[in-house]
Amino acid sequence: MHAFLPILFAFIIGIGHAFEPDHLLAVSQLVARRDSTLLAVKDGLYWGLGHTTTLVVFGGLVLLGKVTFLSSGYFEAAVGVLLITMGIGRLVNKQNYTLPTLVARNRHQLAYAIGLLHGLAGSGALVLLVMSELRDPLHSLAYILLFGLGSVVGMFGAAALMNIPFTPRMRISRVLTSSVVVVTSLLSIGYGGWMIYSNVLT
C-alpha cells in the first residue's frame, strides 16, 4: 500500500503544479491574445499536453538510464529567458492592447512548445526524481500520467480564469485591458529575471 501513496496523490499534485508562478505567468501571456474563453482554455490544454509530453519522454530516460542531469538550474534559467522574452514581446506589441487578430486565433503550437520547456523546470524535474524511486515501472508510468493529467486539468481551469479580463465584455474598458497587459508583462519580466539570477548567477 505504501508504494501506491505517491500514485494516489499524483493527480492532485499535478493540479497544484499547474498553478506555479512561472506556469501562470507564461500562460497569461498566451491567453491575453484570445477573445474567446474556448480558445484560451485550449491554450491551457496544449500547454498541459506539452508539459506532459516532456515528462513522459524524459521519464522514460529516467527509467531506462537513470539520468541525473534533470536537476540542473539551467532548465529553470531557460524558462526565465522565455518569460522575459514573452513579457517584452507583449509590452511592445500594440495589438495586445486591442482585440486579437485572426492570425493568432487558432494557433496553439506556441502553448504546446512552452509546455514542453516547462516540463523540465521547477517541480517537473522533482516529479521525475520521485517517479524514479518507484520500483515498479508500471507504477512509475501511472504516476507520471496521473500527474500530467492533473497539470492539464489545473491549467485548463487557470487559463479560463486568466482569460476573463480579455473577453469582449471586459475589453470595453481599454484602461483595464491595458493595465492587465502591462502588469502581467512586468511580472513576467521580473520573475524571469529572478529565475535567471537565482539559478545561474548565484
Side-chain angles (χ1 to χ4, degrees), residues 47-61:
W47 179 95
L49 291 175
H51 183 274
T52 303
T53 299
T54 299
L55 292 180
V56 169
V57 170
F58 282 90
L61 294 177

Side-chain angles (χ1 to χ4, degrees), residues 26-27 29 36 40 54 58 62 72 110 124 128 167-168 182 196:
V27 175
Q29 310 297 306
S36 164
T54 299
F58 282 90
V62 169
S72 173
L110 179 59
L128 296 179
T167 54
V182 171
I196 295 173

